[in-house]
Amino acid sequence: MGTYLIAAVAAAIIYRIGREVVGSFRHPEDEELLDYWNDITKTEDRSAYRQISEHLATCEQCRDRLDELRKRPGGPGTHSPLISRRY
Ligand SMILES: [Zn+2]
């Protein structure tokens, strides 16, 4: 049991360090882009938020992807217009 715990903690630390280093170089998943757009990442994980910001600043592909996700029916981009059109 103790060994498993140490292994799990070590894996979590390696995962975090790896994510810090690799984070801004890999493309975020759709889900991560949506969380980012909805300010979920901003409140829950500041370092991930910074990484995605940096990534989007340099990656046109992911900016286009985020635009696409926002325009999707039921996506966050359609949320506000629906509210303002209700009346
Ligand atoms: Zn990208």
Side-chain angles (χ1 to χ4, degrees):
M1 173 83 189
T3 314
Y4 284 118
L5 188 66
I6 290 162
V9 169
I13 291 167
I14 290 163
Y15 173 77
R16 274 203 79 88
I17 293 168
R19 209 175 53 157
E20 288 282 327
V21 175
V22 181
S24 55
F25 297 107
R26 74 177 175 88
H27 301 295
E29 306 286 334
D30 290 358
E31 220 171 82
E32 290 174 291
L33 288 173
L34 286 173
D35 282 355
Y36 172 84
W37 181 251
N38 288 320
D39 282 344
I40 295 167
T41 313
K42 198 182 199 171
T43 49
E44 286 185 354
D45 192 340
R46 297 292 297 185
S47 71
Y49 180 80
R50 204 182 57 236
Q51 276 165 9
I52 295 173
S53 299
E54 282 170 12
H55 183 90
L56 286 173
T58 55
C59 184
E60 197 178 343
Q61 192 185 325
C62 285
R63 285 201 299 269
D64 287 350
R65 183 73 191 139
L66 182 56
D67 274 347
E68 211 175 283
L69 290 169
R70 283 163 48 205
K71 286 172 197 154
R72 201 184 263 183
T78 56
H79 195 61
S80 306
L82 273 179
I83 288 170
S84 56
R85 270 185 223 139
R86 197 176 285 168
Y87 300 101

